[in-house]
Amino acid sequence: MESTGRPSQPTRVLVVEDDETIGEALLRSLGAQGHQVSWERSGAGALAAASAAEYDLVLLDLGLPDLDGVEVCRRLRQTLPAAVVVMLTARGEGIDVVVGLDAGADDYIVKPIGLAELHARIRAHLRRRASDDPATAVVHIGALTINSTSRRVTVEDRDLGLRRKEFDLLLRLATEPDVAITRETLMTDVWDEHWFGSTKTLDVHIAVLRKRLTEYPDLPRIVTVRGYGYRLEPPPARAGPLTRSAAARAGWPAAW
């Protein structure tokens, strides 16, 4: 099964945190990002929730009141083998972090939690998870095909030959077609949260992608959202397949 570029279902997140202030903040922040969030305040509650429903992501506090957080992590990994597990730790829990990673956690964040960093890490993990899933490895938008496994972008089997960051940027835009994405989010997701250089590098890559996408008909276009960021706009629906004669009339290269 292949993605058609339509927005996917909300990410199902299980928050396991006994601190009311932190739990409520995570619930609000993750919900505002469009995630579907459940909150459990104990290890036993987390294990019961994981047995009753599927989750894409688990945020797991290691300092739970009833069960050892590392043991909860190990059992969650057995119940939810495909989920991303991110541990929430206090400073000084270095040994527990190592043991937790060995127990199956994918990542950890040290409290106090920076929400911008948390969201950046969540997006990075979910992108990697999606790229590893054969059902979501290929995205179609108009005549454009993006294959995250082979890292190729093609138009009717013609490879556009994008460079690494050009590919990453186009894929990030294509994961949310027709949705405006901030410059800051694109910089964080495509480069990383520690990027301190000029954001002009984003504009340069956008310009290159725009040039490539205008070389062919029936491709999405990158639209500037002033004062905000960019949006990948799908092409208008057309009737029937694109023929060679239609391509020639549209000005495609003769080699087509």
Side-chain angles (χ1 to χ4, degrees):
M1 187 176 181
E2 297 172 337
S3 170
T4 58
R6 292 186 293 271
S8 59
Q9 294 297 317
T11 301
R12 297 157 298 184
V13 181
L14 175 61
V15 174
V16 188
E17 172 61 66
D18 65 311
D19 186 296
E20 292 290 325
T21 301
I22 296 176
E24 289 176 0
L26 290 173
L27 196 66
R28 289 194 303 269
S29 182
L30 292 166
Q33 294 288 313
H35 302 309
Q36 181 179 311
V37 189
S38 300
W39 177 17
E40 294 294 337
R41 297 162 175 80
S42 67
L47 295 175
S51 297
E54 288 291 328
Y55 291 95
D56 305 301
L57 172 75
V58 180
L59 298 180
L60 172 63
D61 178 24
L62 286 185
L64 297 172
D66 58 339
L67 298 175
D68 176 64
V70 172
E71 179 58 26
V72 173
C73 177
R74 184 176 292 109
R75 292 165 64 178
L76 283 174
R77 177 52 71 210
Q78 294 172 353
T79 307
L80 302 170
V84 174
V85 178
V86 178
M87 298 179 295
L88 309 178
T89 76
R91 295 187 185 278
E93 293 180 337
I95 294 178
D96 285 342
V97 167
V98 172
V99 176
L101 292 171
D102 287 341
D106 298 283
D107 200 356
Y108 70 94
I109 292 181
V110 177
K111 298 178 182 179
I113 299 169
L115 292 177
E117 179 185 1
L118 174 65
H119 292 312
R121 292 203 189 189
I122 287 174
R123 290 191 297 266
H125 281 295
L126 293 177
R127 283 200 310 277
R128 283 193 288 269
R129 180 177 181 267
S131 67
D132 291 339
D133 183 355
T136 58
V138 180
V139 176
H140 292 298
I141 304 180
L144 190 73
T145 299
I146 306 173
N147 189 314
S148 59
T149 301
S150 65
R151 293 185 63 83
R152 296 178 68 228
V153 177
T154 56
V155 179
E156 304 288 350
D157 296 327
R158 295 168 60 89
D159 193 338
L160 297 189
L162 298 185
R163 296 178 179 176
R164 183 167 65 93
K165 287 302 182 184
E166 295 165 1
F167 177 91
D168 292 341
L169 179 56
L170 181 60
L171 179 62
R172 177 62 185 91
L173 290 166
T175 59
E176 297 182 88
D178 218 19
V179 172
I181 303 174
T182 67
R183 294 175 61 87
E184 293 77 12
T185 296
L186 291 171
M187 289 299 303
T188 297
D189 290 355
V190 176
W191 282 264
D192 65 58
E193 65 269 23
H194 304 298
W195 174 266
F196 294 111
S198 169
T199 60
K200 288 295 291 181
T201 188
L202 172 61
D203 301 321
V204 170
H205 283 76
I206 288 288
V208 171
L209 287 176
R210 279 176 167 158
K211 183 176 185 299
R212 301 306 305 275
L213 293 177
T214 56
E215 291 174 358
Y216 304 97
D218 195 38
L219 295 189
R221 296 291 181 259
I222 299 175
V223 177
T224 299
V225 181
R226 293 190 179 279
Y228 192 82
Y230 296 98
R231 180 181 76 248
L232 187 67
E233 185 175 275
R238 57 176 170 81
L242 183 67
T243 63
R244 289 179 182 273
S245 59
R249 288 195 301 272
W252 284 48
W256 169 258

